[in-house]
Amino acid sequence: MSSKKKELLSTAMKRTSEWIFSQEIPSDVTVLAGGVSFSLHKFPLVSKCGYIRKMVSESNDADLSEIQTPDIPGGAEAFELAAKFCYGINFEISIENIALLRCVAEYLEMTEDYAVGNLVARTEAYLSEMALKSLAGAVSVLHLSENLLPLAEKIKLVSRCIDAIAFMACRESQFSMTGRSDTGNEGILSSTMSQPKPIVDWWAEELTILRIDIFQRVLVAMMARGFKQYALGPILMLYAQKSLRGLEIFGKGRKKIELQQEHEKRVVLETIVSLLPRERNVLSVSFLSMLLRAAIYLETTVACRLDLEKRMALQLGQAALDDLLIPSYSFTGDTLFDVDTIQRIMMNYLEYTVEGNRLGYQADGEYVSPPPSDTERVGKLMENYLAEIASDRNLTVSRFIGLAELIPEQSRITEDGMYRAIDIFLKAHPALSDMERKKVCSLMDCQKLSREACAHAAQNDRLPVQTVVQVLYYEQQRLRDVMNGNPMGGDSPALPSKVNLYSTDIHAVSDEISKLKRENEDLKIELVKMKMRLKEIEKSGGRSATGSPMSNTSPSADKPPLPRRSFINSVSKKLGRLYPFVRSEGNSIAKTRARPSKNRRHSIS
């Protein structure tokens, strides 16, 4: 049939349908669509719907009065719009109903074979000229198509929307990057050209309404068109914050989520993690910590959790204490916080550090040794974490020691942070044996304690007496170095070889501790006196230089000034009693060791 004849026939059928509708002729067929019955007329439906025409012609019943439309896309709402189109009733085609109309037109076979300007052609024209011309429109059509699968996929409506979104998103991203580059400072631009900082574009919020599988396909299509992977970070953050909202991941308690919802969120999280960019410093550590909490809570795959742990390890120097305080979601009397996860993160960090030192800098930035400041920050962070979890009574000695031993010694300038964590742990675990307390205290180097920490440790009853002896000895040695004219203290010598810090004679050790404390006080007094005398000598020297009478600065006859040599000799007598544990044979003290060996510190002889 020629196109002109088709057009004339379609016009005649349209007029007939309008006449039937206007004359209120009784219906001769009932169509069941989406659980709703529609009393209609065969002629308008047959004139434009190939599906209904086939049902009528192939029916054995000459007077077919009921037609079933199982699995019609869009249900009753979609069929009602298609029926209005068949009757010639005007209605508006919009972004909200175009996906519905396109799918129902395909289902009812409303093509040009049955009428000119049929519904399939009309909807295709609207998609091409209006809906897919804007990014917001394409996203909206794609979102509505999610409920029309698999037919929407069959007619390539989904793929067309994805391609349109990918094209426009890349164009908008390039335009915004060009605009920022033109208005930015050239010096700043040159320093950041290697990896521009991703900024959330206005359209990123639009993508968060998509289902996770469709969202993934959109991002893959964008990268295929040249969209940079590091720029996906802000988009993924927006999507994760919206889709994972409502999870109780910041407190310990039983799950308040249904199994179906838990499964859906687990799929969302695992997909997001698989899409995360590989570049460093694109995502914040706080965001990675949030994903890791959710992964533990939702019990995702082990690979998903290990991937997040490795990502956190790469940026551990940027983490805050709250990022590491991940609750333990088990209910078997375990620790309050997930210590094992943090231990694995720290081990990954140390592996990256060693690997970076061995390989050095690489162009892809995958293995780069952290700077010393980063290592110090990580050491301080882990000391604070130890202090935070130390008060947990369920934390065992072995787990505390295992985590503390991972902190590199070169990252600990002082041992004050370690001492604080140990003191909190001993206070929260008063039932520890002497051997366990000794093992815990062996984690810190008493030589690196500050004066304030030494003063506190010397009076700390929770520490083993052997540790207190070490603290007092090194404090005495520091004072001796100062009085010998070495204010920096230098390398403190080790304890004499004949000193048995872990002697079982508690009374003897306690007596020696008392003597050491008295010696410390005497040395401090002598040090103050020496400083005062030095000030007096400086004042007298200044006055004599300006011609002041010497009589004003000369000492009285009753109390002549003591020569400097005799004063140092008197101090030397005090220092002669620094080694109360050494026998009278006059054994010398080794001055090269920095701290006692582990064999001696753990000796129980």
Side-chain angles (χ1 to χ4, degrees):
M1 187 182 296
S2 64
S3 60
K4 188 173 182 180
K5 290 184 177 180
K6 281 186 178 180
E7 186 175 353
L8 292 173
L9 182 61
S10 298
T11 303
M13 288 184 174
K14 180 179 180 182
R15 290 177 179 176
T16 305
S17 300
E18 292 174 351
W19 179 81
I20 293 174
F21 180 75
S22 62
Q23 296 299 318
E24 298 183 357
I25 297 176
S27 62
D28 57 358
V29 67
T30 300
V31 180
L32 298 178
V36 180
S37 299
F38 293 89
S39 298
L40 302 171
H41 305 86
K42 291 181 183 178
F43 183 80
L45 299 179
V46 169
S47 64
K48 293 186 178 181
C49 297
Y51 176 83
I52 294 179
R53 179 180 295 189
K54 292 177 182 178
M55 293 285 291
V56 173
S57 62
E58 295 174 0
S59 175
N60 296 326
D61 188 0
D63 191 15
L64 181 65
S65 60
E66 184 177 291
I67 297 176
Q68 300 279 349
T69 56
D71 303 325
I72 185 171
E77 179 185 359
F79 181 78
E80 183 179 359
L81 292 175
K84 285 182 178 182
F85 183 83
C86 293
Y87 278 89
I89 301 174
N90 291 328
F91 62 90
E92 182 182 3
I93 298 178
S94 64
I95 297 292
E96 287 72 24
N97 62 19
I98 183 61
L100 202 69
L101 286 171
R102 178 64 185 88
C103 289
V104 75
E106 188 71 22
Y107 179 85
L108 295 175
E109 300 178 24
M110 301 174 72
T111 63
E112 298 297 295
D113 296 335
Y114 302 99
V116 177
N118 213 339
L119 189 56
V120 169
R122 296 281 296 276
T123 53
E124 281 292 333
Y126 185 85
L127 284 170
S128 302
E129 299 172 7
M130 295 289 295
L132 300 184
K133 287 295 183 180
S134 67
L135 196 147
V139 172
S140 181
V141 173
L142 181 59
H143 177 55
L144 294 172
S145 300
E146 295 172 356
N147 300 321
L148 301 172
L149 298 175
L151 186 57
E153 194 76 67
K154 180 181 178 182
I155 61 177
K156 301 187 183 304
L157 179 60
V158 174
S159 59
R160 289 169 61 190
C161 291
I162 290 175
D163 290 339
I165 293 171
F167 172 75
M168 288 182 282
C170 291
R171 184 183 62 188
E172 290 289 340
S173 178
Q174 292 174 358
F175 176 77
S176 60
M177 287 292 295
T178 304
R180 287 194 290 268
S181 300
D182 293 341
T183 59
N185 184 277
E186 292 182 0
I188 298 176
L189 179 62
S190 61
S191 63
T192 59
M193 183 64 74
S194 59
Q195 184 172 311
K197 184 177 181 181
I199 299 177
V200 181
D201 290 292
W202 63 269
W203 48 265
E205 185 71 26
E206 301 283 345
L207 300 181
T208 58
I209 65 174
L210 299 176
R211 206 171 66 186
I212 185 60
D213 55 337
I214 303 296
F215 176 75
Q216 182 182 16
R217 290 174 60 181
V218 170
L219 296 190
V220 172
M222 288 168 57
M223 287 188 288
R225 286 185 174 270
F227 196 84
K228 300 299 182 182
Q229 189 178 17
Y230 70 82
L232 295 180
I235 305 174
L236 292 170
M237 289 178 65
L238 281 176
Y239 193 91
Q241 290 168 358
K242 186 172 183 179
S243 58
L244 299 177
R245 188 179 301 161
L247 290 180
E248 297 291 339
I249 61 175
F250 295 99
K252 188 171 183 178
R254 296 196 176 276
K255 294 182 180 179
K256 300 177 182 178
I257 184 173
E258 297 180 358
L259 292 178
Q260 179 63 27
Q261 187 181 8
E262 181 182 2
H263 172 72
E264 293 174 357
K265 290 187 179 296
R266 185 185 302 118
V267 172
V268 168
L269 180 56
E270 291 175 353
T271 305
I272 289 175
V273 173
S274 67
L275 293 171
L276 292 178
R278 306 306 306 181
E279 292 84 355
R280 299 174 63 181
N281 303 323
V282 173
L283 303 169
S284 66
V285 182
S286 299
F287 175 66
L288 294 174
S289 176
M290 185 271 289
L291 292 182
L292 183 56
R293 293 168 192 258
I296 297 173
Y297 181 84
L298 295 173
E299 299 179 11
T300 60
T301 60
V302 176
C304 175
R305 280 175 276 176
L306 292 179
D307 187 15
L308 289 171
E309 290 174 7
K310 291 179 180 179
R311 291 176 183 273
M312 283 191 66
L314 280 172
Q315 301 175 217
L316 191 57
Q318 306 168 16
L321 178 59
D322 289 340
D323 299 330
L324 302 185
L325 297 177
I326 301 175
S328 177
Y329 298 108
S330 61
F331 305 97
T332 58
D334 201 357
T335 55
L336 182 63
F337 297 106
D338 195 338
V339 180
D340 294 336
T341 296
I342 304 303
Q343 189 168 358
R344 287 194 298 270
I345 292 174
M346 189 62 189
M347 292 175 66
N348 287 327
Y349 172 80
L350 296 176
E351 289 179 6
Y352 288 135
T353 303
V354 173
E355 192 71 13
N357 290 331
R358 185 174 66 85
L359 297 178
Y361 179 80
Q362 289 185 353
D364 59 359
E366 186 66 23
Y367 296 107
V368 180
S369 178
S373 58
D374 185 81
T375 305
E376 292 174 6
R377 281 197 300 268
V378 171
K380 187 66 176 176
L381 174 67
M382 294 305 298
E383 287 177 347
N384 292 335
Y385 179 77
L386 273 177
E388 189 69 27
I389 66 173
S391 59
D392 189 350
R393 296 184 180 274
N394 291 328
L395 183 64
T396 61
V397 174
S398 59
R399 297 178 79 176
F400 181 84
I401 293 177
L403 188 59
E405 287 178 342
L406 292 177
I407 305 177
E409 290 188 7
Q410 63 270 21
S411 67
R412 288 145 54 181
I413 300 177
T414 67
E415 291 289 319
D416 290 9
M418 183 63 71
Y419 169 67
R420 174 171 167 264
I422 289 173
D423 186 43
I424 296 174
F425 183 79
L426 294 178
K427 185 177 181 180
H429 301 77
L432 294 181
S433 64
D434 291 340
M435 180 56 66
E436 289 175 330
R437 288 192 297 145
K438 292 174 186 177
K439 288 182 179 179
V440 171
C441 290
S442 66
L443 294 170
M444 65 176 175
D445 185 358
C446 297
Q447 290 178 272
K448 291 184 179 181
L449 291 175
S450 65
R451 293 185 178 181
E452 293 78 8
C454 283
H456 185 276
Q459 300 177 1
N460 194 342
D461 296 335
R462 289 184 288 272
L463 297 179
V465 291
Q466 296 84 352
T467 303
V468 176
V469 170
Q470 281 186 331
V471 172
L472 291 173
Y473 171 77
Y474 291 126
E475 179 65 13
Q476 278 190 339
Q477 187 58 47
R478 185 184 291 119
L479 291 172
R480 182 186 183 190
D481 291 337
V482 171
M483 297 179 69
N484 283 340
N486 184 13
M488 298 303 293
D491 293 334
S492 300
L495 287 172
S497 59
K498 292 198 176 185
V499 176
N500 186 3
L501 291 178
Y502 295 95
S503 173
T504 56
D505 189 353
I506 303 300
H507 296 290
V509 175
S510 300
D511 293 339
E512 297 303 336
I513 290 175
S514 301
K515 290 181 181 180
L516 286 171
K517 288 182 178 180
R518 287 196 299 270
E519 293 294 333
N520 271 346
E521 295 299 326
D522 293 342
L523 285 171
K524 289 178 182 178
I525 293 172
E526 293 293 341
L527 185 59
V528 171
K529 288 181 180 180
M530 183 177 71
K531 289 180 180 179
M532 293 177 63
R533 288 184 181 277
L534 287 174
K535 288 182 180 180
E536 291 177 359
I537 293 173
E538 290 175 358
K539 289 180 180 179
S540 63
R543 290 175 181 175
S544 61
T546 56
S548 299
M550 295 298 294
S551 58
N552 293 340
T553 59
S554 60
S556 61
D558 297 336
K559 205 170 186 180
L562 197 62
R564 181 181 180 88
R565 182 181 182 87
S566 61
F567 172 71
I568 296 299
N569 290 340
S570 66
V571 174
S572 299
K573 292 179 181 179
K574 295 287 186 179
L575 294 174
R577 292 178 290 173
L578 278 172
Y579 311 109
F581 298 120
V582 183
R583 298 177 184 175
S584 59
E585 294 132 358
N587 293 344
S588 61
I589 301 173
K591 295 187 178 181
T592 57
R593 293 178 50 197
R595 58 191 295 185
S597 65
K598 290 187 177 181
N599 293 334
R600 184 177 299 114
R601 280 190 284 129
H602 293 295
S603 172
I604 57 173
S605 58

